[in-house]
Amino acid sequence: MGRDKVRKKGILRHWFQAAFFAVTNGYAVGFLQGKIYQGSTKALCVPGLNCYSCPGALGSCPIGALQAVLDSRSFTVSAYVMGFLMGFGALFGRLICGWMCPFGLVQDLLYKIPFVKKIKNLPGHRYLKHLRYVILALFVVILPSVVVDIVGMGKPWFCEYICPSGTLFGGIPLVAANPELQSATGGLFVWKVSLLVVTGVLSVISYRPFCKYVCPLGAIYGWFNPVALYRYTVDAGKCTQCGACQKVCRMDIKVWEKPNSVDCIRCGDCKNVCPEGAIVSTWEKRKEKSRKRGR
Amino acid sequence: MKKIVNFLNKQTWKGVALLGLSILLMIVGVVREEPATVLQKAVHICMECIGIG
């Protein structure tokens, strides 16, 4: 019963992810012509890791935007992008990772490919899960701000050397459709495609390795999980600590102990599998309260 | 037995406060004309992002 609910709700989540991608990347002409959208909506950030050089992108990636402001000559901090990140985080926390991130969807789909032995975590998980904070500090904040050229301009280190989302949604479609860009590819493009391939292969074996170990955006949103308006609560009266939630959780969280763990991407599998219905989101709780009041 | 976490009200207020702060930060950013920098970067193909450098 619970497993069936997990499967059905999982399919619903994937449709939502796909629809969200379609809405935020609706400039279809860009894919055909190898161009990007140039409208003013690009001054706004979308919640997920959605490269602004994706031909269809109508908004900006918050991590790309943060680096763009930090590596410019005019600013040393970005109140604007921090405001977006804080706003999205305070509303949703990592619900964004589970439901609104295009690269999360890609990893979800890759994990559906059958493999001899799926593993929950990569070897060294205990230490690797802190890597995303190092990447956030070093590649997103410090290097773009500190390493500058003679006119005071830095560069987006995370986008340039790490981000596989940019390669997949921006690099490959643009290079495929644009002969001028094809002639400009070199060692860096090979490096980035290699990183994308490694991420893809690991995503078949283990669930969302990029989100678990690398993503700086997930690292930021994770901090908001305990205080976001969308949170999970565990009803102590109902919970029997049977462990069904941790067993189904592909992020390997002991939900009954830490329902608002920084690692939780709010996929909802734990809520759907719980035999006692002990795990609920704050939104569901509020809906339930208002329904009771209405009776 | 581990403590079961359930702290709805206090945490909700923290979330609301952060949401208010985020709006304030965005306004500060707009006054400082940061959106123009973001837009300037986002409307041109980011060579670094796509792996051309």
Side-chain angles (χ1 to χ4, degrees):
Chain A
M1 178 73 184
R3 288 272 168 184
D4 197 38
K5 196 176 171 189
V6 168
R7 195 183 59 80
K8 280 182 184 164
K9 294 261 181 169
I11 293 169
L12 180 76
R13 183 169 68 89
H14 296 327
W15 277 109
F16 185 92
Q17 288 170 296
F20 196 84
F21 176 77
V23 169
T24 51
N25 294 274
Y27 188 64
V29 179
F31 288 102
L32 300 171
Q33 297 180 344
K35 291 177 181 170
I36 62 168
Y37 178 67
Q38 296 186 311
S40 56
T41 55
K42 279 201 153 172
L44 303 171
C45 293
V46 291
L49 199 70
N50 194 141
C51 186
Y52 42 42
S53 284
C54 169
L58 300 174
S60 287
C61 167
I63 292 295
L66 183 62
Q67 291 170 94
V69 178
L70 293 178
D71 69 24
S72 72
R73 274 172 295 181
S74 319
F75 305 103
T76 47
V77 288
S78 176
Y80 181 66
V81 182
M82 276 164 56
F84 267 105
L85 290 168
M86 192 179 281
F88 288 138
L91 278 173
F92 306 113
R94 288 194 78 179
L95 180 77
I96 290 159
C97 307
W99 292 72
M100 298 173 223
C101 180
F103 202 63
L105 171 63
V106 170
Q107 289 174 90
D108 280 355
L109 297 178
L110 285 171
Y111 189 69
K112 289 188 180 295
I113 296 172
F115 188 72
V116 190
K117 195 184 176 210
K118 299 269 185 185
I119 52 173
K120 221 167 200 181
N121 300 311
L122 294 182
H125 170 77
R126 220 174 122 190
Y127 305 102
L128 275 177
K129 68 179 184 180
H130 301 295
L131 181 65
R132 58 193 172 183
Y133 302 111
V134 176
I135 288 171
L136 171 63
L138 199 62
F139 285 84
V140 178
V141 180
I142 298 172
L143 290 172
S145 313
V146 173
V147 182
V148 292
D149 61 18
I150 199 160
V151 289
M153 291 285 288
K155 58 182 183 177
W157 286 73
F158 174 76
C159 298
E160 184 165 354
Y161 296 108
I162 299 176
C163 186
S165 183
T167 313
L168 180 64
F169 295 114
I172 292 174
L174 284 175
V175 168
N178 191 324
E180 281 174 30
L181 291 175
Q182 282 164 21
S183 59
T185 55
L188 183 62
F189 191 74
V190 173
W191 163 253
K192 287 206 69 182
V193 171
S194 307
L195 274 186
L196 175 64
V197 171
V198 170
T199 309
V201 171
L202 289 176
S203 302
V204 175
I205 302 166
S206 179
Y207 187 67
R208 290 203 184 205
F210 180 78
C211 304
K212 276 181 186 158
Y213 309 121
V214 182
C215 185
L217 191 55
I220 294 170
Y221 290 146
W223 289 327
F224 291 93
N225 263 359
V227 291
L229 296 182
Y230 184 90
R231 299 187 305 280
Y232 284 173
T233 56
V234 176
D235 187 329
K238 288 182 182 173
C239 179
T240 59
Q241 300 190 11
C242 65
C245 49
Q246 189 186 7
K247 204 173 164 191
V248 78
C249 179
R250 285 167 293 188
M251 300 303 275
D252 201 20
I253 298 160
K254 287 181 182 171
V255 185
W256 75 92
E257 277 183 9
K258 290 186 85 177
N260 296 306
S261 159
V262 293
D263 298 319
C264 176
I265 58 162
R266 307 304 194 203
C267 68
D269 286 353
C270 57
K271 280 196 300 131
N272 299 325
V273 84
C274 179
E276 310 298 329
I279 306 164
V280 285
S281 73
T282 46
W283 292 1
E284 288 160 336
K285 209 169 180 173
R286 227 159 278 160
K287 219 189 287 176
E288 182 69 21
K289 269 185 189 170
S290 56
R291 208 179 60 194
K292 278 180 183 167
R293 269 200 298 267
R295 271 184 200 160
Chain B
M1 192 175 113
K2 300 277 182 186
K3 193 181 171 186
I4 305 295
V5 184
N6 192 344
F7 40 34
L8 180 68
N9 292 333
K10 193 174 147 195
Q11 301 307 97
T12 300
W13 279 111
K14 283 184 189 171
V16 171
L18 283 171
L19 198 59
L21 184 59
S22 76
I23 294 166
L24 195 69
L25 279 171
M26 277 190 256
I27 293 169
V28 170
V30 170
V31 171
R32 282 163 30 113
E33 297 180 354
E34 288 178 38
T37 305
V38 173
L39 186 64
Q40 176 67 19
K41 180 78 181 179
V43 295
H44 296 104
I45 292 176
C46 168
M47 293 300 184
E48 297 95 340
C49 306
I50 66 169
I52 293 185

